[in-house]
Amino acid sequence: MPVWHEATKALQESGQIQVVGIIQEQHPDRCALFMQWKEMDWPIMVDSLDLLGVSAVPITVLIDEAGVVYKVRARTRDLEAFLSEPPVEFEEAAAPQAPNLEELRAHVSSEDSSDLRDPANLNALRYFIDSVFLWGGPQRLDEAILIYQSTLVMHDDATFAFHLGVALQSRYEKSHEPDDFARAIKAWSHALASDPNQYIWRRRIQQYGPRLDKPYSFYDWVSQARDEISARGETPLPLGTEPRGAELAYPARTFVVDETAKADPDPDARINLDQRGLIGIETIVVPTTEAGGSSSRVHVLLTPNESLNAHWNNESDETEVWLSPPPGWRVNALGRTAPNGPGAVSTEPRRVEFEILPPDDASPGIHVLSGYALYYVCEDADGQCLYLRRDIQIPITVR
Amino acid sequence: MRSLFFVLATAAILLTATSGAKAQSVIEVGQPFPGLVLPALKDGSPASIAMYRGKKVVLHVFASW
């Protein structure tokens, strides 16, 4: 993209061309930071659902004055011929408007539209749900998810499944409900299974998946971007969700084990168990998308129980999670820690991630790995603080 | 919401496993660029490639990863 930017900067400034972007990304704010970093200020449209239907990026498209496609997958060397084309006649287009959701709802709710064997009806329903997601705002996200799910029950459609995953992940990043993340991965995996050449869909899983399956680090550029933006005297644009764990991890060709891990801190299970569930723990397994691959990345999510007014105690050691793999199974680290939050107490969700590789002779099916978490938790913001253990079990599917 | 679910429930009876309309856009040389209306990154307002009629457009479809 920066190569294109250099090739077109003067042309854009002189008005000879208009540079525009469409981003195929779950997190548009990360693209905004990228644009700030590279000092690219052309207009961007957000296509998180991939309504454009591209299967890989980047793609550069040249479009003439009438909105007709001149070249797809253009290279900078195509610019000269494009610019030498005489201007074509065009009609002014109406200003773009968001669809009226209530009109769309009324249309898809009519009995005339109920037969989804009619492609027109199916597409009308698709347009309605996608519009609820795109234009309904956070208050209608639940509605969009509910209708995607209801429709998928009746009509197994890969695009619906991908869109459901995008909506679930969006909700997860607002509410931190672990089940939404797990269901997003499941929905994306379902979509990809029907179209393994859809790399936009594949990347959404790989973003959170194991290193053996990664084409590159997805967001390793973020810290460098912030440093360079700050060095220019500017303030880096904020991110709604910080990239971490799998999103920052680099690809690996072999399974990498961290040999520096310290010893199991509670091998005999002597630390008191968290009987009341002050901390909720969920595990989400992101499988490889690689054909025949078997590694997985396990996300362990720990959340203080709001109904018990539980808080992390930050004036103590960090939260730890330990795994005990069966013989032959490999994990990249037996133990991982999650850093303490700000202040004396806090309630933020915490996450640690592991990579797991079953033995070659593991039988197909579900295997359960055990582990536990150790944490300092307070029963209230100013209540009694305890050091507790919670055991966890992680189901891993071997294909 | 209830009427929509009534329709969806009715559709469940009518649907067959073979129905498979695709709603993907197509970018083809010589054809108008798809008339999608998408949120602008800057402020979330409705935006479209059609806004740039009268100009030669260089469109990058990309991601920051």
Side-chain angles (χ1 to χ4, degrees), chain A residues 7 91 126 141 151 314:
Chain A
E91 290 182 13
R126 198 188 301 273
L141 188 54
T151 308
N314 295 326

PDB file of all heavy atoms in Angstrom, chain A residues 7 91 126 141 151 314:
ATOM      1  N   ALA A   7       3.125   6.474  -5.321  1.00  0.00           N
ATOM      2  CA  ALA A   7       2.883   6.617  -6.768  1.00  0.00           C
ATOM      3  C   ALA A   7       1.689   7.522  -7.065  1.00  0.00           C
ATOM      4  O   ALA A   7       1.579   8.054  -8.180  1.00  0.00           O
ATOM      5  CB  ALA A   7       2.663   5.231  -7.386  1.00  0.00           C
ATOM      6  N   GLU A  91     -23.260  10.195 -15.041  1.00  0.00           N
ATOM      7  CA  GLU A  91     -24.413  10.823 -14.384  1.00  0.00           C
ATOM      8  C   GLU A  91     -24.084  10.958 -12.910  1.00  0.00           C
ATOM      9  O   GLU A  91     -23.525  10.041 -12.304  1.00  0.00           O
ATOM     10  CB  GLU A  91     -25.663   9.953 -14.548  1.00  0.00           C
ATOM     11  CG  GLU A  91     -26.201   9.912 -15.953  1.00  0.00           C
ATOM     12  CD  GLU A  91     -27.468   9.066 -16.039  1.00  0.00           C
ATOM     13  OE1 GLU A  91     -28.032   8.734 -14.976  1.00  0.00           O
ATOM     14  OE2 GLU A  91     -27.862   8.738 -17.160  1.00  0.00           O
ATOM     15  N   ARG A 126     -31.112 -11.343   3.537  1.00  0.00           N
ATOM     16  CA  ARG A 126     -29.672 -11.132   3.754  1.00  0.00           C
ATOM     17  C   ARG A 126     -29.370  -9.625   3.880  1.00  0.00           C
ATOM     18  O   ARG A 126     -28.634  -9.202   4.771  1.00  0.00           O
ATOM     19  CB  ARG A 126     -28.912 -11.712   2.546  1.00  0.00           C
ATOM     20  CG  ARG A 126     -27.440 -11.971   2.752  1.00  0.00           C
ATOM     21  CD  ARG A 126     -26.794 -12.360   1.436  1.00  0.00           C
ATOM     22  NE  ARG A 126     -27.339 -13.535   0.799  1.00  0.00           N
ATOM     23  CZ  ARG A 126     -26.925 -14.778   1.051  1.00  0.00           C
ATOM     24  NH1 ARG A 126     -25.984 -14.991   1.934  1.00  0.00           N
ATOM     25  NH2 ARG A 126     -27.441 -15.802   0.413  1.00  0.00           N
ATOM     26  N   LEU A 141     -27.341  -4.971  17.880  1.00  0.00           N
ATOM     27  CA  LEU A 141     -26.422  -6.073  17.598  1.00  0.00           C
ATOM     28  C   LEU A 141     -27.035  -7.411  18.015  1.00  0.00           C
ATOM     29  O   LEU A 141     -26.922  -8.413  17.296  1.00  0.00           O
ATOM     30  CB  LEU A 141     -25.095  -5.825  18.322  1.00  0.00           C
ATOM     31  CG  LEU A 141     -23.935  -6.754  18.008  1.00  0.00           C
ATOM     32  CD1 LEU A 141     -23.653  -6.830  16.513  1.00  0.00           C
ATOM     33  CD2 LEU A 141     -22.674  -6.277  18.740  1.00  0.00           C
ATOM     34  N   THR A 151     -31.805 -17.806  10.921  1.00  0.00           N
ATOM     35  CA  THR A 151     -31.767 -18.111   9.493  1.00  0.00           C
ATOM     36  C   THR A 151     -30.839 -19.288   9.221  1.00  0.00           C
ATOM     37  O   THR A 151     -31.141 -20.155   8.395  1.00  0.00           O
ATOM     38  CB  THR A 151     -31.306 -16.872   8.708  1.00  0.00           C
ATOM     39  OG1 THR A 151     -32.100 -15.763   9.088  1.00  0.00           O
ATOM     40  CG2 THR A 151     -31.447 -17.099   7.212  1.00  0.00           C
ATOM     41  N   ASN A 314      -4.744  -6.502  42.947  1.00  0.00           N
ATOM     42  CA  ASN A 314      -3.550  -6.182  42.154  1.00  0.00           C
ATOM     43  C   ASN A 314      -2.307  -5.911  42.999  1.00  0.00           C
ATOM     44  O   ASN A 314      -1.231  -5.677  42.453  1.00  0.00           O
ATOM     45  CB  ASN A 314      -3.832  -4.968  41.258  1.00  0.00           C
ATOM     46  CG  ASN A 314      -4.903  -5.273  40.224  1.00  0.00           C
ATOM     47  OD1 ASN A 314      -4.992  -6.408  39.735  1.00  0.00           O
ATOM     48  ND2 ASN A 314      -5.718  -4.293  39.905  1.00  0.00           N
TER      49      ASN A 314
END
